[in-house]
Amino acid sequence: VRGLGDVYKRQAQAVQGEGTIKAIDSEQQQITLTHGPVEALGWPAMTMPFKVSERNLLEGVAVGEKIRSELGSNTEIIGIY
């Protein structure tokens, strides 16, 4: 498939984004964010759930809070700022 290699290259690098927390599920180690477009991945603005790499990333954040996050190569959140 033409262009697919570019998609994999983009996903292999950590990507930063900004969003607003809509839900937190500690048991599933997941956070739901409403975020703007993520140009590096070709994503439009949307609301979607993300797994977090470590449960402790969910400590100290709350629904409604605006955050910056870093996505790893598998689109799992590896940092919340």
Side-chain angles (χ1 to χ4, degrees):
V1 176
R2 186 173 177 207
L4 195 55
D6 291 336
V7 171
Y8 290 126
K9 286 178 192 173
R10 286 191 304 247
Q11 290 180 346
Q13 300 173 355
V15 175
Q16 293 190 356
E18 296 182 359
T20 302
I21 299 172
K22 294 298 181 182
I24 299 170
D25 186 338
S26 297
E27 287 185 26
Q28 295 295 316
Q29 206 166 315
Q30 183 171 286
I31 190 168
T32 300
L33 299 175
T34 295
H35 61 78
V38 182
E39 291 181 25
L41 298 174
W43 290 357
M46 66 180 113
T47 299
M48 63 182 291
F50 292 91
K51 287 284 197 183
V52 294
S53 61
E54 298 179 30
R55 187 169 277 124
N56 66 347
L57 290 173
L58 300 175
E59 295 173 5
V61 296
V63 172
E65 185 176 349
K66 291 184 180 185
I67 62 165
R68 286 185 305 124
S69 60
E70 187 171 4
L71 298 176
S73 61
N74 59 355
T75 67
E76 182 176 75
I77 292 180
I78 59 173
I80 295 177
Y81 314 101

